[in-house]
Amino acid sequence: MTKQIHLAAHFPGVNNTTVWSDPRSGSQIDFDSFRHLAQTAERGKFDFFFLAEGLRLREMKGRIHDLDVVGRPESLTVLAALSAVTTRLGLAATVNSTFNEPYEVARRLASLDHLSGGRAAWNVVTSYDAFTGENFRRGGFLAESDRYTRAAEFLQTARELWDSWSDDAVAADQAGGSFIREGGISPFRHQGRHFDISGLFNVPRGPQGHPVIIQAGDSDEGREFAASAADVIFSRHSRLEEGRAFYRDVKRRLAAYGRGRDDLKILPAVTYVLGDTAQDAEERAAEIRRAQVSPQTAISFVEGVWGRDLSGYDPDGPLPDIEPDLDEGVSKGRAQFRGDRGAVAAKWRALAQEKSLSIRELVIEVAAPQTFVGTPASVADEIDTFVQTDAADGFIFVPHLTPGGLDDLVDKVVPLLQEKGVFRADYAGPTLRHHLGLTKETS
């Protein structure tokens, strides 16, 4: 059976994705930028609009890392404003489960679900580092082994709060003078390892019952968390074979939780470049890659792996001939430099030697690949192939320009997918759960 494709939009602004120095690039703060991208996504009948978020400014060698975009308004605030200028588009916010509390997050998400008419989504993320936590009064440390246990209990607690109101709790009986139906609200009591709270939740149940839950972890623990609790997993696997392997692995885990294959949508983050011909698209993609990886960005990226100050090296020259300092790090708050940096350095050396790559060319190769590059017709065909062969259920597109980076995709590729019959011509229902083919969560 032909599968229907799910599409979403990611407002760019983290790592080196955004070419903010491009003359066509707009503000990362002005509301008009958010509105343009969101309304473009809604014009394209996308499922949702997604905002990522960090809780601390990243640093490089003790300074704010300002080669990328620095600073942006808080996600739920932006999405609440967007709910007034969109009518069907889902609105997804990243909210951290390590440095927030369930009652407040549940309250804000339920409020967004009401304001938007049932379009709220929550990307549940965790933080592993004390560096980020220094911004918070708890002292800023949660053992990495505990971050998913807290996230799971956080989500469970939020669901208990949402479920403490019945769907018909608000009677608003003007004649009888009763606003709340008797028995419509139940006290909540949660006692667990991370949370011990009780009381009465103060926001009625939202139109979706629960906001859609998104998860982005790629570790084994993260995949298991997604299989047990998420509606969407935001994947980084955007190559065909690795996408199929990830898809199989995550989907097979669902049965253990009494869930079907369609209960969790797998949506990799991807980019695109269009051209009138394949050669034109490749040339444009190469230009964009070089804009994304400036000489300074290339050195900074290698410094993150080597753990050393490499400012004396030529970005158009070979990789450093010194070994990485695995005991120290020069980068803080940049998750891509976690893990076995020695193994990464060895892999990069082998790749650079095999292809005779300079530092900048190597970073372009490993950090700034374009996923879909070609004519509108070839990109539409490739998107469809990924979905029909179970490498994904759809994609979250991350454009390199703000705010007009999705215009070509919506105007030139989406109509071709609609002609193929694999993407909706219009929204079938009012809520994000309708768009994703998910049922309403009942209390």
Side-chain angles (χ1 to χ4, degrees), residues 164-166 168-169 180-186:
S164 67
W165 285 65
S166 66
D168 60 352
I180 298 296
R181 183 182 59 78
E182 186 175 353
I185 306 174
S186 302

Side-chain angles (χ1 to χ4, degrees), residues 361-385:
E361 290 168 339
L362 173 73
V363 175
I364 289 171
E365 178 88 6
V366 301
Q370 299 291 348
T371 312
F372 296 119
V373 178
T375 65
S378 70
V379 168
D381 288 343
E382 195 172 1
I383 290 171
D384 192 33
T385 296

Side-chain angles (χ1 to χ4, degrees), residues 92-240:
T94 296
V95 183
N96 193 292
S97 63
T98 306
F99 301 120
N100 281 293
E101 297 297 324
Y103 187 93
E104 181 59 19
V105 170
R107 184 170 175 262
R108 293 164 68 201
L109 285 163
S111 298
L112 178 62
D113 208 41
H114 280 290
L115 290 174
S116 64
R119 297 184 282 137
W122 172 18
N123 179 36
V124 185
V125 299
T126 65
S127 286
Y128 65 92
D129 61 333
F131 171 75
T132 298
E134 288 173 358
N135 282 344
F136 297 86
R137 64 179 174 81
R138 255 196 322 273
F141 184 76
L142 180 70
E144 188 166 0
S145 58
D146 290 336
R147 62 189 181 123
Y148 275 112
T149 62
R150 179 182 167 92
E153 188 178 338
F154 194 116
L155 179 55
Q156 175 191 347
T157 307
R159 284 175 162 155
E160 291 168 6
L161 295 170
W162 294 323
D163 289 344
S164 67
W165 285 65
S166 66
D167 287 328
D168 60 352
V170 179
D173 180 1
Q174 294 175 329
S178 175
F179 192 83
I180 298 296
R181 183 182 59 78
E182 186 175 353
I185 306 174
S186 302
F188 65 83
R189 180 78 175 102
H190 180 94
Q191 289 180 294
R193 177 182 173 189
H194 295 279
F195 308 107
D196 185 353
I197 60 175
S198 61
L200 289 168
F201 191 53
N202 70 344
V203 181
R205 191 171 173 79
Q208 296 185 109
H210 298 173
V212 166
I213 301 301
I214 303 172
Q215 200 274 335
D218 189 44
S219 65
D220 186 73
E221 203 172 12
R223 296 181 189 200
E224 201 66 26
F225 178 51
S228 69
D231 301 305
V232 173
I233 186 165
F234 185 9
S235 162
R236 64 179 178 83
H237 298 282
S238 56
R239 299 191 186 277
L240 194 62

Side-chain angles (χ1 to χ4, degrees), residues 233-295:
I233 186 165
F234 185 9
S235 162
R236 64 179 178 83
H237 298 282
S238 56
R239 299 191 186 277
L240 194 62
E241 288 308 317
E242 68 179 30
R244 287 172 179 161
F246 180 83
Y247 193 97
R248 287 192 302 269
D249 178 64
V250 173
K251 294 282 187 175
R252 72 171 176 79
R253 299 172 188 247
L254 293 166
Y257 301 98
R259 308 181 71 197
R261 284 171 55 87
D262 292 336
D263 292 337
L264 175 65
K265 308 299 188 218
I266 297 177
L267 306 181
V270 294
T271 59
Y272 80 101
V273 179
L274 300 181
D276 293 333
T277 65
Q279 181 178 351
D280 178 40
E282 288 291 351
E283 289 172 356
R284 292 183 64 191
E287 291 175 5
I288 292 167
R289 290 185 188 110
R290 288 187 65 80
Q292 289 172 323
V293 182
S294 67

